Amino acid sequence: MDENIIQKKTIFSGIQPSGDLTLGSYLGAIKNWVELSDMYNCYYCIVDMHAITVRQNPTELRRRTIAQLAQYIACGLDPDKNTIFIQSHVSAHAELAWILNCYTMFGELSRMTQFKDKSAKNADNINAGLFTYPALMAADILLYQTDLVPVGEDQKQHVEICRDIAVRFNGVYGDVFKMPEPYIPKVGARIMSLTSPENKMSKSDKDPGGCIYIMQNPDDIMRCFKRAVTDSETFVCYNTSTKPGISNLMQIYSAATGESFEEIEKEFCGKGYGEFKTKVGEAVVEMLRPIREEAERLIADKSYLESVYKKGAEKAALTANKTLRKVYKKVGFVEK
Ligand code: TRP
């Protein structure tokens, strides 16, 4: 049993509790995480320290962090098989982040697309944390000697800077960090907004109709799908450049039903967009229903969730502290 764990490759990924989890978080990330659980030694984190790079309401942040944990489990992530934890509970993340800050260059941080986007959106709060956020993310990944980092396309640049930091550090001190690889799933990776299908479905979307939430009630979900943007043609056919709205709905329908694009095209041949949108909405409602119900049940069970995140943090800290101690020694800190 133990030997098995040692041989398994390690996975680390995380989602910020900066907004409620969306259909995009489920299909693009968590659903894939569940599938990786058996084959890999997985760490799935709720990265609350990343979330405060943008101003958060404390009560809401606390509520969303717990709700996110409940949703991870309700989506099928087994806390006995995976290490599920809250980032701020393992202090090694903050400690390694500081050290890595000293091995990360101002110039390379300035080139990060997400920093440029977020500072444009939060012009009144371009704080140092927002700028050095990739060093914290590198700490998350490197603490666990991670092999693979499942992320969306938009986070690839952050995994690359993590690799650059690791190479730089290893170059000075020898092999301290394992070199992680980004792992970008092919299916379901990019669920787009229902109202502006050229943009990723995002919890920070200003248009509430564009985004479906895991915990959303069925009536609201149906309303969003009925209002989804399509095009001026009349046939259901997959083409992301000429029919981004319909193609996105097909992606979602395919993920919810397991049907291929060909089968979907056949099923809706000669039928209107209205009928298609209703069917996609219904499929999503049925897919999310058991998840929402289970998550609601778990959110009511505070002591269970507490036992999960406490055990998760303990397990994570064991590995994280081992790496951190090695780093402290390498850089020349006196042992305490
Ligand atoms: N930066 C990621 C995002 O915004 C979240 C994240 C933080 C993460 N630390 C990570 C993802 C480590 C993968 C690995 O989506």
Side-chain angles (χ1 to χ4, degrees), residues 78-89:
D78 180 346
D80 292 326
K81 261 200 276 181
N82 304 283
T83 308
I84 304 177
F85 70 105
I86 299 169
Q87 186 184 30
S88 63
H89 289 184

Side-chain angles (χ1 to χ4, degrees), residues 2-20:
D2 268 6
E3 277 161 34
N4 239 336
I5 291 174
I6 291 163
Q7 278 168 11
K8 277 186 185 173
K9 287 196 168 182
T10 297
I11 282 201
F12 186 100
S13 199
I15 299 177
Q16 298 188 44
S18 53
D20 291 320

Side-chain angles (χ1 to χ4, degrees), residues 23 46 52 57 69 117 132 140 201 211 243 279 300 304:
L23 177 65
I46 299 169
I52 64 161
N57 171 309
L69 174 66
D117 287 352
T132 63
D140 298 342
M201 181 179 282
C211 186
K243 297 169 81 68
K279 275 281 169 54
Y304 170 71

